[in-house]
Each structure stands twice: as structure tokens, then as C-alpha cells.
Amino acid sequence: MNAATPSRISLAPLHAVLAQLDDFILGKPRETRLALACLLARGHLLIEDVPGVGKTTLAHALAATLGLAFQRVQFTSDMLPADLIGVSIYDRDSHAFRFHAGPVFSQVVLADEINRATPKTQSALLEAMEERQVTLDGETRELPDPFFVIATQNPSSQIGTFPLPESQLDRFLMRITLGYPDVAAERAMLLGEDRREMLRDAKPVISLAELADSQHAVRRVHVAPALVDYVQALCRATREAPDFHNGLSPRAALGLLAAARAWALLAGRDMVIPEDVQAVFAAVATHRLLARASNRPQPELVAKLQAAVAIP
Amino acid sequence: MNPDRLDRTQILALLAVLTGLLLPHAGRLPNWLLGALAILFGWRIWLIRTQGRMPPKWVLLPITFGLIVGVFIEFRTLLGRTGGIALFAALIGAKLLETRSRRDALLLVYLGYFLVVTNLLFDQTMTLAAYLCAMVLIITTLLIGWHTLGGWTGQWRVAFKQARFAGVLMLQALPVMALLFVFFPRIEGPLWRLPQDRGSIRSGLADSMSPGSFSNMSKDDSVAFRVSFEGERPAQELLYWRGPVFLDYDGRTWTQSPPNATTSPRIEGGTQPPLRYAITLEPHQRPWLLALDMPAMVPDEGRMSDQLQLVGRRQVSKRLRLELSAYLQYRAGVDEDEAMLARALVLPEEGNPRARQQAAAWRTLPPQARVDAVLQLFTGQGLQYTLAPPLYGSNAVDDFVYGGKQGFCEHFAGAFVFMMRAAGVPARVVGGYQGGEENGDYLIVRQADAHAWAEVWLEGQGWQRVDPTFAVAPSRIEEGLASAVNDSDLPYLLRLDNNLVKRAQLALDSMVNGWNQWVIGYTPERQRQVLKRLGITDLLSGKFVAVFLGSIGLCIALIAGWLLWRMRPPKPDAARQLWDSFCRRLAAYDLVPARAEGPRDFAHRAMARLPHRKTEIQAILDGYLAARYGSGGGLEQLKQRVVGFGR
């Protein structure tokens, strides 16, 4: 075992991150943990929920707690790719074009209501997500590292939206829903401090180097052949199941494994066990599996499928 | 997307299969029905193209009723063989117009399987069987497609995989099919009475012989019958296949007098034992059976006539296999009755004066010498054997022997018998086939091998075969028709050169012969023989039925077992085996892991149930996770812990 094995890195900062996130988002430890796992696995996150349940707060809290630069972009139907990526403007003093970086040049980007933008703008963002770089006027510009996109979608209003096609949904490692808080959590939130002020005062609890180490450590979490069997069995089941249009792609299988590794790391384990895969499966698979009957993601079908696949 | 909705490609495939299955019936169905079916099929295709609405019930019902009435008017029945098929086809056409869902289409698929069977009621040739096998493969592929989720995906690769699966299914059914074929009790006679099918008379021997009737057949290479000998094949010049006997002559046409089977002359064989052989006749719609000259026994299927001809009990309207034997040396009809001999001397009142005169001059010679004299006359006149003889006038014999001098076998046989009768020797013309072509272990005799020869009755020797054609053109008899005439006039198959096409055709014929012998020829009689050899005498005995059903069950069990064995899960690794054994121990506490329950979740559940063994369970869990999902190792320790857990 070499120096970077998970057992050797300190998990304390990561646990501190989780603790602070749970202070901001009350009563959703599982969702915040998934969001952090997604970031550690270098994936992007899609949050699909009704307005006002804390999507923005979660994104903001993540950025603040990790000490990352944060930008929020409200997507609208008249938005152009330049509004996102940036634009070169002629500078009279220097007699040259100067690049004015758009909001995408940020470590954490919150793309609010991504399905309101035109496909052209959507694809500009999704391309940046995949390549982690932006090419403009023949010049390629690296995006910051880490680069983490949190996109939100409002499922209830579909009028005047451009739903993301399956190929683009596939680029989000996870899709989570926050849902309404339970009574106790909501009460604590109502009685507690104002979230805005809390966020303004929040201090990062992990250094950039520690975060990068953690991301490296995720890749080194051990995956045994028996576990790959299980991941393959799950993927095969989605491809053979009658309920879905398409099964999970190989990219999704890779994502599932990466997410399970991150989950195992957060649990302080240096190997992935089937429970890790199960913990992230719904978040990784649901948005990729459109049900035949409704043409929409159906979490209960995914849960049924997972329960039907025996662990090899 | 409704999974029960039909894809247009699926409907088109269904239409294509049904068309393919109705195609062999096309000749049996009336034209108006074929037209109606074409309209119904076309309507359905049009509906697919235009995405139009299906016709409502009040349109469909009159159409269906009209078709049923039409069939009834045409056939006077809705049952029966052809009428039943017509009704069936009409209803399939109507059903197509209300085929919306997968359920309807499945019904049509099953009807398709039934259509396959109906084709076999009319025809059991190998070609049709091969065609129907292909059709079954296609329907089964369709059926698999409908039961595979997603159905037709538009990918040929998937369709090909499904077809291969269908093929595997058919191969798996093969042993059961073979068992049923061999052992299932055969039914005597056809299921339906065969119609008197006047339209399907094949060219072949007729019950009369006039100039040109044999030379016309020389262009017909279709098979008349096939023969396999039990022992050595006799020489070519002994292969005279005896058919109708032509006794009466009106100056132009020799006609067969109806064979009378109540009495028949005595036949004595020579010193050699009779030659045994099996002959498979193609249907020729005539009652007579062909047999090697001279038949030594009378088969169950026929009788011996007063003219030494084997006659069947009914027309040969389907392929018939006979086991016969023959004397190559014989004395037949030594005690022939006077009436027959008198008829064998009758000549027309007038005509052919020159032949009559010359023959009458030989009346003083002994009978054998008269025969030789006529044969010498024929060779001396320089008569020629040809496929295209000229047409002779009212004095056909004179014109042939002294004039044109060109003739085919009917001219030779006719002229010879005429002159023998004029010379006072009882004689008659015998029609049949001569020779045959060797193909592997059997002989093909074609229509073109049709031949006519003569028979003369000599005191003390009975009826003796005399072939005047042999005297003039011995190569016709010794080497076959093609060597005796200019063979470019003959069809391809009958020519001498042994080219690739001919060899391929012969190989195909060999297959067809095998099919006829072993599949079509597997009659109740043969089944009894085969089973007798296996020691089974009573097909309906309880023991036999038990063995029969048992062997079918065994077949299915073997295939199922093989499939299960192939699908068995891979043998789990050592860590998993230990874990499984741990799970079995926990089963005593009513703790069984759920299907998708992970090892940690299960262990935690077990610890909650058995708090006093918490540390043991935790140790086993840690050991298992490390061994199977970690970097491995620690198996020995895990084993000890698991074994120790039981105590």
C-alpha cells in the first residue's frame, strides 16, 4: 500500500465539511453526503426539486465550506453562450482584444434552472463540464480546478423549457432531490439563524490541497473483481429491464464505480463494498433511466430493479 | 409508448409470412378468393402506410360473412380439405383488418403454424417440407421477437440473433419429432379422401399406342419410378419394365383391352431364384403397376391380370412403394387359353397388303423361324431407329417397312406384331419402360425410357419377349436411348455427357429418393416392420405406450437438463463459499439475506437479532469483506471463524 491510500489520508477535514454542511442544510445528511461524494468523484451534480427547498443554499454552502470560488448563473431562454463563457472585447488602451471571463470560470458554478436556457447555451455549459476547458476565438482556456457544476431543474413547470436530452443528462454524475425537510428540521431552521448571514460568515474547513488529496484518494479505493461483478450485474439488469428505454451506458457504469469509491472513502473504508454501490445507485442511475411508460425518471422503478438484482 | 402496440415492421413481417404460407395453396383456391385476399392484404398495408383507422365492426362483419358465403357456394361445404383451407384463408384475411394489438398478432402467428400443417395435407414432397421448415423458422423468429422486450428494434443483427434462437429451438425439438415420426401409430389411408384430380395427369404411358405416342415421351425427363435391387443389378438389356399390354389393333392404334384379373396364366421361373427389388412409382393416375418382366409374385396392392400385367386396386394417385420380385428367365402362359390366343391373331380387315403378303408366305415355316424371318426382314430393309419418324399414311406398316424405313419403338413393335399375326403366330404389343439410369444404389427410370416391345406365343414356351428395336438398334437397349439417337434432340438430363449440371441433378434426385423411401414411404406396413425388428408387436400395448412416452419425456429432460447445466451460476470463490456457509448457519435463527441485501447490512441485522454474538459476527463480516472486497487474504482465519460460529 502506498502513501496515498485512503487509510493514510486524514478523514477529519472531510468529516468537518459534512458537519458544517449539515449545519446549513438541516435534516438532509444523506443528500449532503451524496453531494460531497459527487464532488470528490469529480462529477457534476443535478438537483431536481421545487423552488425553495435549499438548492442554492446547498451549492453556496459547499463552496463556502470548501473555500471555493462560487458563481451563480440564472438560466433564461434569452441567454447566450457568451453570457456563460465570457467574451473578448477590444481594449482601446492596449489596442488588443481582452477576454472577459464569464461566470463559468469559477470553481463552483450553480446553474439555476438549466432547462430554461436554449439547447445552444445548455450545450456550451455541458461541453465545459465534460472537457473542463473552454475554447473561444481559437484559444483554449483551462477551467479552474476543482470545477464543480451544480445544476438545478424545476420538475413541476415544463412550460417554456428545453428539457435536457438523455445524452446531456448522462454528463451529470448524480441527480438528487432534496425534498421538504421533516418537521423537526424545518422548525430548527425557522427558529435558527438566517442562512444568508451564516453563509457570509462561514469559514472553509478544508484546504485546497486536502481536497485535492481526497479526490486523488478516491481513485485509489480498492475495487475487487467481485464488486465489478455486482456493478456489471446492475448495469446488465438496466439494459434488459422492460421498464426503461435505455440501460446504463458504460460511462454511467464508470460513474457508478467512481461514486461508490467516493462513498466508501467518506465512510473511511479503503475498499468498496456492495452497500456503497447501493448507496449511490439511485442518485447515479435514476436520471439516466427514462421509464417507458412515462418517459420520465421513475425512482421507484430503479429501487425495484436494485432490489431484484442479487449480489454476486 | 404502448408496448402492446404493433410496430409497422412487425405487421409487414406477419403479412409476408402469411403470404408465404398461403402461396402453396394459391392453385387450390378459387380466383375470386385470391383476389379478395389480395385486396384485404393490400388494404392492411395501405392502413400501415397511411396510419389510417381500422375498419369498424359494421364493415368487417359483412365482409367476413360474404367471404364465408362465397366459400360455401364455391365448395358446397365449409369442411372438407380444400373448402376448409379456403374458409381458413378467408378468415385470416378478415382477421388482419382487426389486428391492432400484439394479442391479435399472436393469434395470427398461431394460425400461421396451423397453415404450415394444412400445406402438408396436399403435398409431402421434400421441397415443400424444406420450404415449410424455413417458414416455421420465420414464424418462430417473429414469435420470439414479440416476446422479447422492445420487439423489432430495426436492427437486422438482433433479428438474426432471434432467428438463430428459433433455429436452436427447432433443433431441440428434433429428437422428439423423430421419436414421434418413428413410433406414433400411423393411420391407414389419407385423412381426407383424395379428389379425382383430372387436371394433374402426368404424361406417361397411355392405354393405347398410336404412332408418335412413345416418341413424344422421349423428350420428358421427369421420373417415372425408382428402383432399388436387393442384390446385384441385372444387365441393362434385361430391364424390361412391364406395363399395359396392347392387344387390339384397328389399323392405326393399338389399344389395351381392359385387364381381367379373375384368371391369370401360370408363370414358371427358371432355375435361378427370383430377383427381389423395391420400386417406388410416381403417381401416374392409371391403375396399372410397373414391374420387371416377369413378375414372380403378386403384391398386396395389386393383382395379376390375364395379360400378365400387374394391376393396382385403384389408380396410382400418390407415390407408391412396392416390394416385388421377378423371374429373369421364365415360362409364362404355356397353357394360355384359346380365346386369348385367338385375339392375339386378329388383324384389321384390310390395309398393309405388302406386309400381309410377305408374312403369309412364311406360314409354312416353324413358328420360331417365322419370328427370325421378320427380324431379318427388318435388319435387311435397313430400318432406322429415330426420334423423329415421318408420319405414315393408312398403310402404316407397309409405309414404314418398305417406304420411309424410319421409326421409333412403337413402329417397330407395331409392325412386328402385325407381321407375326399375318404369319399366324399369336403376338401382342407390350408397353412399359426399358433400362434406367444408375444413381448410387438405385435406378432412376424416366418417362423418356418408355418403350414398346412385342410378345409372341410359341407352343411349349408360352409368351416370349421379342424386341424388334433391339434387333435393329441394339445400343438403345444395351446403352440407353441417348446412344441410339442423335442426343442433341433430347432434354439435357437424358444426354450422355456427364456434366456438372447433370451430376448435381442426379445428387438432388438421390436426396429426393431418400426422402421418398424413408419419409413418404414410411407407411403403416413399414412401421410395423421397423417396430417388429425392435421387438414391438403391439403399438397400443401399455408397455409400448409407456416406453414411447417415457423416451419423449427423457428427450425433453435431457435437453432441459443440458440447458440448466449451461445456465448454472459460476462456482463462487472461496470467500463467498465461506460466507454462504455462514448464512446457512444463521438460517437456523431465521435470518436469511434478502435478494439484494449486502453483506454488511445483513450482518448488522444479524447482530441486532443476536446481540450476544455481536463480536463474532463482526469478525466474520470484517474477514469476509477484507477477503472478498479488500485486497484479499485471511481466508484461513475466516474459515476458522465461520466453522467456530456453528458451535
Side-chain angles (χ1 to χ4, degrees):
Chain A
M1 293 199 176
N2 54 43
T5 51
S7 51
R8 295 285 178 84
I9 72 153
S10 168
L11 286 173
L14 290 177
H15 287 156
V17 169
L18 284 176
Q20 186 160 326
L21 283 177
D22 288 339
D23 282 344
F24 289 113
I25 313 289
L26 295 170
K28 298 285 172 192
R30 191 181 160 77
E31 284 72 15
T32 53
R33 197 179 253 257
L34 279 171
L36 183 60
C38 184
L39 176 74
L40 290 177
R42 293 167 183 270
H44 302 287
L45 183 66
L46 177 67
I47 308 177
E48 192 170 288
D49 227 322
V50 291
V53 293
K55 290 175 292 201
T56 316
T57 311
L58 175 61
H60 224 136
L62 257 173
T65 310
L66 300 168
L68 303 174
F70 173 73
Q71 282 279 5
R72 175 185 167 157
V73 191
Q74 179 65 45
F75 276 48
T76 56
S77 58
D78 55 356
M79 195 177 170
L80 295 172
D83 299 333
L84 189 67
I85 291 167
V87 63
S88 291
I89 294 173
Y90 186 71
D91 183 44
R92 217 182 301 177
D93 298 334
S94 59
H95 300 288
F97 280 95
R98 241 170 55 115
F99 179 66
H100 292 258
V104 79
F105 286 88
S106 188
Q107 287 166 315
V108 176
V109 178
L110 173 63
D112 231 346
E113 300 204 73
I114 189 171
N115 52 345
R116 293 220 171 270
T118 54
K120 192 173 177 179
T121 311
Q122 286 175 1
S123 62
L125 174 68
L126 292 158
E127 207 180 314
M129 283 162 60
E130 186 70 14
E131 310 293 333
R132 290 173 191 272
Q133 62 185 26
V134 168
T135 304
L136 196 81
D137 299 335
E139 199 181 326
T140 300
R141 293 185 169 82
E142 292 284 325
L143 290 173
D145 186 49
F147 176 63
F148 185 42
V149 174
I150 303 175
T152 71
Q153 265 198 125
N154 189 338
S156 54
S157 79
Q158 293 291 331
I159 303 162
T161 60
F162 302 93
L164 293 176
E166 283 146 71
S167 63
Q168 306 209 333
L169 280 173
D170 205 26
R171 308 225 167 137
F172 287 98
L173 176 59
M174 289 190 193
R175 186 206 74 147
I176 60 171
T177 57
L178 287 170
Y180 297 114
D182 59 27
V183 179
E186 190 166 29
R187 190 177 182 82
M189 187 202 77
L190 291 172
L191 291 173
E193 241 182 298
D194 180 34
R195 303 287 129 178
R196 265 177 230 277
E197 284 174 28
M198 275 175 74
L199 280 170
R200 204 165 47 228
D201 302 338
K203 297 271 178 300
V205 295
I206 188 168
S207 72
L208 211 55
E210 284 171 324
L211 183 63
D213 280 350
S214 304
Q215 285 185 330
H216 272 291
V218 164
R219 296 190 192 168
R220 295 200 164 81
V221 175
H222 181 72
V223 169
L227 190 97
V228 178
D229 288 345
Y230 182 45
V231 169
Q232 285 193 300
L234 280 171
C235 291
R236 197 180 330 118
T238 65
R239 290 163 196 165
E240 287 168 1
D243 306 333
F244 306 114
H245 277 305
N246 298 93
L248 288 181
S249 64
R251 170 160 53 192
L254 278 172
L256 178 59
L257 207 54
R261 279 180 152 131
W263 192 265
L265 181 83
L266 284 176
R269 233 179 295 105
D270 58 358
M271 62 188 173
V272 184
I273 63 172
E275 280 86 348
D276 297 326
V277 177
Q278 292 177 346
V280 298
F281 182 69
V284 173
T286 306
H287 63 291
R288 293 176 158 104
L289 299 173
L290 298 186
R292 244 174 221 287
S294 63
N295 224 11
R296 289 186 46 76
Q298 295 226 293
E300 60 282 357
L301 286 180
V302 177
K304 208 176 94 185
L305 180 130
Q306 183 190 314
V309 178
I311 298 169
Chain B
M1 277 277 292
N2 179 3
D4 200 42
R5 244 200 47 178
L6 278 176
D7 198 274
R8 52 186 287 181
T9 330
Q10 290 175 324
I11 300 188
L12 285 176
L14 184 65
L15 283 169
V17 171
L18 290 175
T19 312
L21 286 170
L22 283 171
L23 218 53
H25 284 312
R28 295 159 200 139
L29 301 179
N31 285 333
W32 66 265
L33 182 59
L34 290 178
L37 283 175
I39 290 171
L40 291 173
F41 275 61
W43 190 353
R44 191 69 182 84
I45 294 173
W46 181 72
L47 283 179
I48 298 172
R49 290 190 68 89
T50 57
Q51 304 271 311
R53 285 178 63 82
M54 295 280 199
K57 279 257 183 309
W58 59 265
V59 174
L60 218 50
L61 270 175
I63 292 178
T64 314
F65 189 70
L67 287 172
I68 296 174
V69 170
V71 170
F72 186 77
I73 291 171
E74 177 86 30
F75 293 96
R76 296 279 149 205
T77 172
L78 293 179
L79 305 168
R81 196 168 56 155
T82 320
I85 299 300
L87 180 68
F88 193 55
L91 292 181
I92 282 181
K95 177 73 193 166
L96 269 178
L97 284 175
E98 57 165 21
T99 301
R100 289 181 186 83
S101 64
R102 201 165 79 172
R103 204 191 54 167
D104 296 323
L106 284 179
L107 178 74
L108 281 175
V109 165
Y110 296 133
L111 294 182
Y113 279 113
F114 189 72
L115 265 183
V116 171
V117 179
T118 60
N119 275 307
L120 290 171
L121 294 175
F122 295 89
D123 187 355
Q124 292 112 34
T125 55
M126 192 174 66
T127 339
L128 185 79
Y131 177 74
L132 293 179
C133 275
M135 282 292 155
V136 170
L137 184 78
I138 295 173
I139 318 179
T140 312
T141 307
L142 267 184
L143 195 57
I144 291 170
W146 268 310
H147 285 285
T148 313
L149 287 143
W152 171 251
T153 55
Q155 287 166 297
W156 284 106
R157 193 173 50 80
V158 176
F160 178 72
K161 261 176 81 173
Q162 288 169 351
R164 210 177 54 184
F165 182 37
V168 169
L169 282 180
M170 282 169 72
L171 284 181
Q172 284 166 353
L174 209 59
V176 175
M177 188 194 84
L179 275 174
L180 284 171
F181 177 80
V182 176
F183 292 109
F184 193 83
R186 303 247 135 196
I187 299 161
E188 301 265 3
L191 283 174
W192 266 266
R193 253 167 48 133
L194 286 165
Q196 297 296 318
D197 209 352
R198 281 281 129 205
S200 69
I201 286 191
R202 308 282 308 264
S203 69
L205 291 180
D207 51 10
S208 66
M209 182 185 91
S210 46
S213 58
F214 278 75
S215 41
N216 282 341
M217 283 166 69
S218 70
K219 310 243 165 164
D220 182 0
D221 64 2
S222 61
V223 176
F225 53 89
R226 298 180 177 85
V227 186
S228 52
F229 292 99
E230 210 159 82
E232 198 73 352
R233 189 165 68 88
Q236 197 76 8
E237 61 263 30
L238 291 174
L239 296 176
Y240 281 84
W241 306 98
R242 194 179 175 89
V245 175
F246 306 112
L247 205 53
D248 303 328
Y249 185 53
D250 65 358
R252 178 162 185 82
T253 303
W254 289 89
T255 43
Q256 182 198 23
S257 65
N260 176 0
T262 49
T263 59
S264 69
R266 205 154 46 109
I267 300 168
E268 297 160 26
T271 48
Q272 286 175 345
L275 177 74
R276 299 178 65 84
Y277 64 97
I279 182 167
T280 310
L281 299 175
E282 294 293 311
H284 56 62
Q285 315 295 350
R286 305 275 187 188
W288 59 71
L289 311 172
L290 280 307
L292 189 59
D293 210 16
M294 179 55 80
M297 56 164 274
V298 180
D300 290 347
E301 292 87 344
R303 285 166 295 180
M304 178 66 84
S305 82
D306 55 346
Q307 296 157 37
L308 296 170
Q309 180 192 0
L310 279 186
V311 183
R313 295 188 189 280
R314 57 179 82 87
Q315 285 188 3
V316 180
S317 52
K318 58 176 188 171
R319 203 169 277 116
L320 183 62
R321 186 179 187 279
L322 300 167
E323 306 239 355
L324 297 175
S325 58
Y327 294 120
L328 294 177
Q329 291 171 343
Y330 57 86
R331 290 204 313 164
V334 179
D335 54 350
E336 188 63 272
D337 69 47
E338 293 298 323
M340 175 59 78
L341 292 179
R343 282 183 68 186
L345 283 169
V346 175
L347 283 176
E349 294 289 312
E350 51 194 39
N352 302 312
R354 197 164 164 196
R356 251 182 235 259
Q357 199 186 354
Q358 185 160 19
W362 291 325
R363 277 180 178 265
T364 49
L365 296 172
Q368 183 63 52
R370 293 179 228 172
V371 173
D372 295 340
V374 175
L375 288 178
Q376 268 166 24
L377 171 71
F378 280 12
T379 43
Q381 284 290 331
L383 298 185
Q384 272 175 28
Y385 181 69
T386 171
L387 274 182
L391 207 58
Y392 296 111
S394 52
N395 294 321
V397 177
D398 278 4
D399 289 355
F400 166 52
V401 177
Y402 307 103
K405 299 187 181 177
Q406 288 188 323
F408 201 60
C409 59
E410 67 260 37
H411 299 94
F412 285 94
F416 178 79
V417 171
F418 182 90
M419 292 191 75
M420 285 320 295
R421 289 187 179 184
V425 178
R428 59 194 184 188
V429 178
V430 183
Y433 297 85
Q434 207 286 322
E437 181 176 15
E438 198 171 2
N439 188 30
D441 56 351
Y442 69 100
L443 196 75
I444 307 174
V445 180
R446 301 178 189 278
Q447 296 298 353
D449 294 317
H451 189 56
W453 60 91
E455 234 172 20
V456 294
W457 190 85
L458 301 175
E459 187 73 51
Q461 295 180 50
W463 290 104
Q464 289 294 310
R465 185 175 68 226
V466 179
D467 188 352
T469 311
F470 183 70
V472 172
S475 59
R476 158 69 183 90
I477 310 303
E478 283 164 348
E479 286 150 43
L481 178 63
S483 63
V485 295
N486 180 6
D487 77 350
S488 59
D489 293 344
L490 288 172
Y492 215 57
L493 271 183
L494 301 174
R495 295 188 204 164
L496 277 182
D497 46 340
N498 190 19
N499 56 39
L500 201 66
V501 178
K502 184 168 174 176
R503 264 181 293 169
Q505 296 259 29
L506 287 176
L508 185 71
D509 192 89
S510 172
M511 273 166 66
V512 169
N513 183 48
W515 174 266
N516 292 343
Q517 297 296 314
W518 295 107
V519 179
I520 311 284
Y522 194 68
T523 54
E525 182 50 40
R526 279 201 113 182
Q527 185 182 35
R528 267 194 291 278
Q529 291 170 6
V530 168
L531 296 182
K532 210 170 171 182
R533 233 173 284 164
L534 296 173
I536 302 162
T537 44
D538 183 6
L539 272 183
L540 295 175
S541 75
K543 197 172 134 198
F544 170 70
V545 171
V547 169
F548 178 48
L549 295 180
S551 47
I552 288 179
L554 187 72
C555 254
I556 294 172
L558 278 177
I559 292 171
W562 179 70
L563 286 177
L564 283 177
W565 184 78
R566 266 192 27 171
M567 288 193 303
R568 76 203 182 283
K571 199 170 153 65
D573 50 75
R576 179 63 193 244
Q577 283 177 25
L578 287 170
W579 178 257
D580 286 345
S581 116
F582 171 62
C583 290
R584 278 194 295 276
R585 280 155 213 262
L586 281 178
Y589 304 97
D590 209 15
L591 280 163
V592 178
R595 193 171 166 76
E597 193 173 23
R600 193 194 59 188
D601 291 347
F602 177 61
H604 286 177
R605 196 152 62 89
M607 283 186 251
R609 269 287 291 283
L610 310 166
H612 57 289
R613 314 197 72 168
K614 199 172 164 179
T615 43
E616 280 175 85
I617 297 173
Q618 184 70 50
I620 291 172
L621 173 67
D622 291 344
Y624 172 59
L625 291 182
R628 190 136 192 268
Y629 295 104
S631 38
L635 271 178
E636 204 41 52
Q637 208 182 357
L638 177 63
K639 188 173 181 180
Q640 282 164 16
R641 283 174 188 165
V642 170
V643 172
F645 186 82
R647 300 196 183 107

